[in-house]
């Protein structure tokens, strides 16, 4: 999928589920006023449940893009967009590339630092073996 196709698919899913900006930023199980400036009805009549069931944006995207019925206990459900295409979309549209490259380089540096770490010598520990036969126990005490 192209970046434009991905963007169109996500926008279509948002529209199909009638998701508003207030659904995106509000907590689940709280009321959402889809039209806070609206004068047509009383605010209490306009309130409805959030369209999403989870707090995290990543879980909300899974909920939006999963194939079939969303299951919150399925950590990696099949998505309507291949992971490689999502990664490319993310890389091209969502991040500051320099910051990500710095994180990648930092992780690689840490990996090789761990690889070069000298092997630890056998740690000395307290001898926990007790020979009770050698102990004189005074029963008078």
């Amino acid at each position: 999928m192209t970046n434009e196709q991905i963007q169109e698919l996500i926008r279509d899913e948002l529209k199909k589920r009638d998701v508003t900006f207030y659904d995106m930023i509000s907590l689940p199980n709280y009321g959402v006023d889809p039209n806070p400036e609206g004068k047509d009805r009383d605010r209490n009549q306009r309130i409805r449940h959030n369209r999403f069931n989870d707090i995290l944006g990543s879980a909300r995207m899974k909920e939006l893009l999963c194939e079939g019925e969303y299951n919150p206990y399925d950590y990696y459900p099949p998505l309507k967009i291949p992971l490689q295409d999502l990664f490319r979309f993310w890389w091209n549209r969502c991040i500051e590339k320099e910051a990500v490259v710095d994180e990648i380089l930092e992780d690689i540096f840490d990996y090789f630092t761990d690889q070069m770490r000298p092997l630890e010598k056998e740690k000395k520990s307290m001898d926990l073996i007790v020979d009770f036969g050698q102990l004189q126990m005074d029963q008078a005490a």
Side-chain angles (χ1 to χ4, degrees):
M1 296 180 83
T2 67
N3 290 340
E4 291 73 24
Q5 289 171 323
I6 291 170
Q7 191 159 324
E8 186 68 27
L9 186 139
I10 293 171
R11 286 193 174 145
D12 287 348
E13 289 296 323
L14 291 168
K15 189 181 292 185
K16 180 170 50 174
R17 296 167 194 229
D18 199 23
V19 174
T20 67
F21 170 76
Y22 300 101
D23 290 300
M24 300 291 270
I25 64 170
S26 297
L27 295 173
N29 301 322
Y30 280 10
V32 171
D33 185 349
N35 186 14
E37 295 83 25
K39 306 289 185 209
D40 57 337
R41 295 180 289 167
D42 180 81
R43 182 178 188 280
N44 290 334
Q45 293 174 331
R46 293 190 312 256
I47 299 291
R48 61 162 172 73
H49 285 287
N50 191 321
R51 299 287 190 227
F52 293 107
N53 295 315
D54 210 310
I55 294 173
L56 300 174
S58 59
R60 288 179 173 193
M61 286 306 294
K62 289 178 201 173
E63 190 175 340
L64 192 69
L65 296 176
C66 75
E67 295 261 353
E69 187 72 25
Y70 175 68
N71 177 355
Y73 302 107
D74 186 359
Y75 293 112
Y76 298 104
L79 302 177
K80 295 175 182 177
I81 302 170
L83 183 59
Q84 184 154 341
D85 293 342
L86 278 174
F87 186 87
R88 188 194 62 249
F89 180 85
W90 170 78
W91 180 260
N92 290 331
R93 306 255 171 115
C94 303
I95 58 135
E96 184 180 330
K97 291 178 176 74
E98 293 81 8
V100 173
V101 170
D102 282 346
E103 286 295 318
I104 291 168
L105 293 172
E106 184 70 27
D107 288 346
I108 292 170
F109 182 84
D110 291 344
Y111 172 81
F112 280 100
T113 301
D114 285 344
Q115 294 292 312
M116 295 170 69
R117 185 178 310 279
L119 295 175
E120 291 185 27
K121 293 180 181 172
E122 202 173 305
K123 292 183 179 180
K124 294 185 178 185
S125 61
M126 181 178 13
D127 184 9
L128 300 175
I129 299 172
V130 177
D131 183 358
F132 288 99
Q134 291 182 356
L135 290 177
Q136 291 187 9
M137 302 222 171
D138 186 10
Q139 294 182 359

